[in-house]
Amino acid sequence: MLNPLLAKLDSKMRLGPGERGALAGLIQNRTHRLPARQDLYVEGDPVSPMIVILDGWACRYDQLADGRRQIIELFLPGDLLGHDCLFAERQDHSACSISSLCYAQISRTDLDAAVQQFPVLGQALLWDASVAAAIHRQWIRSLGRLSATQRIAHLFCELFYRSARAGLARGTAFDMPMGQRDLGDARGLSAVQVNRTVQLLRSAGLLGWRRRVVEIADLPRLATIAMFRPHYLDIEPAGELLASPSGAAEVVRPPPEERDLPLFR
């Protein structure tokens, strides 16, 4: 169950037997399970130990007074939740499971001891935290400057690359337990906007989404529409996947309100 985390960290720096053993020891006998759509914690709770997502998806979110929700971060298997809040006293946001979840909790004391013994492990965790910060910056850019179509396309591209790096993708397909409402909450869009955008991308032959599995049919075109570049994930472009299978040069026709964007002229 540790494999996604090891796969992700190994994509940047090779962990030796000592680091691998230390990670396994931190997680052993500390696993918990949570059904889908249940809170891990809510805003105002005391800060919990660091969480390692072993299986399933989770998210951080803010709940507005009028009932609306903004998802501010997504967590896939192998992701770490809370290593950026270790020195806070109370949570400034809430977190919940999206699907059924298996996770481990690691205390700051145990983590500090492991990092002191294995400095490379500490470097790997710092790298992971820096990628998480870069994802935050891209989400701000997406919410502030991209159109509805681009926001959704960008998120699909990001989730594909993150899944692939953790060893969870199968070719260009990956599991995605989010629903359209979740997509809207993550991208500041209404259910109508999300549904229309997803249908647009499907009809253009860019992706398929069925039974919680997304398959990207034309990554180059989807990335072009999204203005997506994977460098912020500290990962190289997906090599052979960058060659469009269709070789088509046409672009997706967006909804009328988006057609003043330079990409669609």
Side-chain angles (χ1 to χ4, degrees):
M1 300 184 79
L2 188 61
N3 285 343
L5 177 58
L6 286 176
K8 183 173 66 167
L9 297 180
D10 272 354
S11 71
K12 181 63 177 179
M13 54 188 71
R14 293 292 179 181
L15 299 182
E19 288 81 15
R20 290 169 176 265
L23 270 178
L26 287 171
I27 290 172
Q28 188 175 12
N29 300 322
R30 302 180 188 186
T31 59
H32 306 269
R33 293 190 178 273
L34 191 69
R37 310 291 169 178
Q38 300 294 314
D39 282 322
L40 284 157
Y41 54 80
V42 296
E43 183 179 355
D45 283 352
V47 169
S48 60
M50 188 177 76
I51 292 172
V52 180
I53 306 298
L54 301 174
D55 190 40
W57 285 34
C59 70
R60 281 173 167 163
Y61 70 93
D62 277 331
Q63 192 78 44
L64 303 182
D66 61 6
R68 290 178 296 164
R69 181 180 70 156
Q70 177 66 52
I71 291 178
I72 55 178
E73 193 167 4
L74 290 171
F75 297 92
L76 282 60
D79 285 344
L80 306 173
L81 173 58
H83 56 337
D84 55 345
C85 301
L86 290 175
F87 296 98
E89 294 185 359
R90 300 213 169 254
Q91 302 288 3
D92 62 359
H93 61 279
S94 302
C96 71
S97 57
I98 294 176
S99 64
S100 58
L101 198 66
C102 179
Y103 65 96
Q105 288 187 314
I106 302 174
S107 72
R108 191 173 118 193
T109 301
D110 291 340
L111 180 64
D112 286 345
V115 167
Q116 287 179 7
Q117 186 176 2
F118 300 101
V120 173
L121 178 59
Q123 294 172 15
L125 295 176
L126 283 174
W127 167 78
D128 186 71
S130 72
V131 172
I135 291 172
H136 271 295
R137 292 191 289 272
Q138 286 293 314
W139 278 41
I140 292 171
R141 167 183 174 268
S142 179
L143 291 171
R145 289 300 180 187
L146 298 189
S147 70
T149 301
Q150 291 171 312
R151 292 182 203 179
I152 297 296
H154 196 282
L155 185 58
F156 279 130
C157 289
E158 177 185 295
L159 293 176
F160 163 70
Y161 273 95
R162 290 173 63 183
S163 296
R165 181 168 57 193
L168 301 171
R170 302 173 298 281
T172 58
F174 62 95
D175 294 329
M176 193 184 78
M178 298 172 68
Q180 291 194 7
R181 179 172 293 182
D182 298 321
L183 281 178
D185 289 346
R187 282 299 179 251
L189 302 170
S190 69
V192 171
Q193 287 174 303
V194 172
N195 183 268
R196 182 176 61 189
T197 298
V198 170
Q199 293 305 321
L200 175 71
L201 297 174
R202 279 173 166 164
S203 64
L206 296 175
L207 60 83
W209 183 12
R210 186 180 182 188
R211 295 180 181 175
R212 297 159 58 102
V213 175
V214 171
E215 182 164 8
I216 298 179
D218 196 335
L219 180 60
R221 290 181 65 211
L222 191 67
T224 297
I225 289 164
M227 298 184 183
F228 175 85
R229 300 183 304 278
H231 65 277
Y232 72 95
L233 298 170
D234 199 12
I235 193 170
E236 292 298 318
E240 69 280 1
L241 298 179
L242 291 179
S244 174
S246 64
E250 76 278 6
V251 296
V252 174
R253 294 299 295 167
E257 64 272 19
E258 296 183 11
R259 289 179 187 168
D260 60 340
L261 294 170
L263 180 64
F264 297 119
R265 287 177 185 165

